[in-house]
């Protein structure tokens, strides 16, 4: 059974940094693109970043480009998101999600809350 | 970026009602349209992909349709567990954008 568990969220001041992790189980992690999706309070989801199975291909939304870095460790079956220069509009629940070969987000974690506030 | 517009933003309905939600893309996305269901406090869950294909395990009361750049999600007989927010998402081009959601509430 596929399972994704995020961790690392919390309260951070504007301009600060935070690192999120996602532990995967129940599937061959290295076979899949993985993504970070965020959802601001009361808003629709936003696809923040994705990374290929090998880690060689990455994508970032314009809103986070240059500030966020996605990475993965296939041996540890883990996905990461390093966030820096955080702003108030980065506040929201951050989900890791598996991307299937048709670009569908077919499995999601439970999410971790990031709050950027002074 | 492709913009996805959902309507209505919310609706009230009773158990057993037939409801139809709409999503419109501002340019062609062929049938690269997916629907997700999000219950309060939970992660979104994939319901329908390629406009009309049900994800494994999704009840047959859910169905999807497409006409040009207009897409529909229909629930034929609303059940208690269907009260949630529904999001459409295009997977035609990057960034793969979501709509703002339709909240289905109990009347």
């Amino acid at each position: 059974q596929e399972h994704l568990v995020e961790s690392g969220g919390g309260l951070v001041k504007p301009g600060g940094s935070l690192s999120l992790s996602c532990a995967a189980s129940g599937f061959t992690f290295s076979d899949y693109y993985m993504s970070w999706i965020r959802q601001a309070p009361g808003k629709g989801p936003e696809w923040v970043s994705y990374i290929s199975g090998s880690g060689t291909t990455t994508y970032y939304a314009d809103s986070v480009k240059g500030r966020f870095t996605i990475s993965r460790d296939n041996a540890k079956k883990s996905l990461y998101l390093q966030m820096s220069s955080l702003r108030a509009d980065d506040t929201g629940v951050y989900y890791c999600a598996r991307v299937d070969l048709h670009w569908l987000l077919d499995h999601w974690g439970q999410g971790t809350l990031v709050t950027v506030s002074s | 970026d492709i913009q996805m517009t959902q309507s209505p933003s919310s609706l009230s309905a009773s158990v057993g009602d037939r409801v139809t939600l709409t999503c419109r893309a501002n340019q062609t996305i062929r049938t690269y349209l997916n629907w997700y269901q999000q219950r309060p406090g939970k992660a979104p869950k994939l319901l329908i992909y390629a406009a009309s294909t049900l994800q494994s395990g999704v009840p047959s009361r859910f169905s999807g349709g497409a006409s040009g750049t207009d897409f529909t999600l229909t629930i034929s007989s609303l059940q208690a567990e269907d009260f949630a927010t529904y999001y459409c998402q295009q997977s035609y081009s990057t960034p793969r954008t979501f709509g703002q959601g339709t909240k289905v509430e109990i009347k």
Side-chain angles (χ1 to χ4, degrees):
Chain A
Q1 186 77 356
E2 298 86 348
H3 201 47
L4 298 167
V5 180
E6 301 93 338
S7 59
L11 174 64
V12 61
K13 288 182 168 51
S17 298
L18 204 60
S19 182
L20 305 182
S21 299
C22 172
S25 60
F27 63 98
T28 304
F29 183 67
S30 58
D31 282 353
Y32 289 88
Y33 277 57
M34 295 295 296
S35 62
W36 288 100
I37 311 293
R38 71 182 178 186
Q39 190 169 28
K43 302 293 186 183
E46 178 191 11
W47 200 321
V48 171
S49 182
Y50 67 69
I51 186 168
S52 61
S54 63
T56 55
T57 298
T58 58
Y59 157 82
Y60 299 94
D62 286 345
S63 56
V64 307
K65 202 171 292 182
R67 301 187 299 121
F68 289 13
T69 301
I70 192 171
S71 62
R72 65 192 296 160
D73 185 330
N74 287 341
K76 294 183 178 179
K77 297 185 180 180
S78 292
L79 176 72
Y80 307 101
L81 187 68
Q82 178 65 42
M83 305 184 293
S84 62
S85 302
L86 283 161
R87 312 185 301 223
D89 62 359
D90 294 317
T91 293
V93 177
Y94 284 69
Y95 298 97
C96 74
R98 192 178 81 169
V99 185
D100 87 345
L101 61 91
H102 298 294
W103 291 99
L104 304 175
L105 300 165
D106 65 348
H107 291 279
W108 298 60
Q110 85 288 350
T112 188
L113 177 62
V114 172
T115 303
V116 183
S117 174
S118 55
Chain B
D1 297 3
I2 297 176
Q3 183 176 349
M4 308 302 294
T5 303
Q6 292 185 241
S7 60
S9 56
S10 66
L11 65 88
S12 295
S14 301
V15 171
D17 284 353
R18 179 184 180 90
V19 299
T20 297
L21 288 56
T22 298
C23 175
R24 173 172 291 173
N26 69 345
Q27 64 184 79
T28 184
I29 58 170
R30 296 170 62 184
T31 56
Y32 290 92
L33 189 284
N34 314 307
W35 290 97
Y36 294 82
Q37 175 193 64
Q38 186 174 34
R39 296 188 176 111
K42 300 295 185 182
K45 168 191 167 186
L46 179 63
L47 279 185
I48 288 175
Y49 61 93
S52 60
T53 303
L54 264 60
Q55 177 70 338
S56 175
V58 173
S60 59
R61 63 180 180 273
F62 290 92
S63 63
S67 176
T69 57
D70 292 337
F71 301 87
T72 57
L73 171 66
T74 297
I75 309 172
S76 61
S77 178
L78 206 58
Q79 300 301 301
E81 60 268 29
D82 301 336
F83 291 96
T85 301
Y86 294 83
Y87 294 97
C88 63
Q89 181 228 1
Q90 61 84 15
S91 50
Y92 179 73
S93 68
T94 300
R96 289 168 171 84
T97 41
F98 291 82
Q100 81 282 11
T102 293
K103 185 174 184 179
V104 177
E105 299 175 300
I106 301 174
K107 183 182 287 184

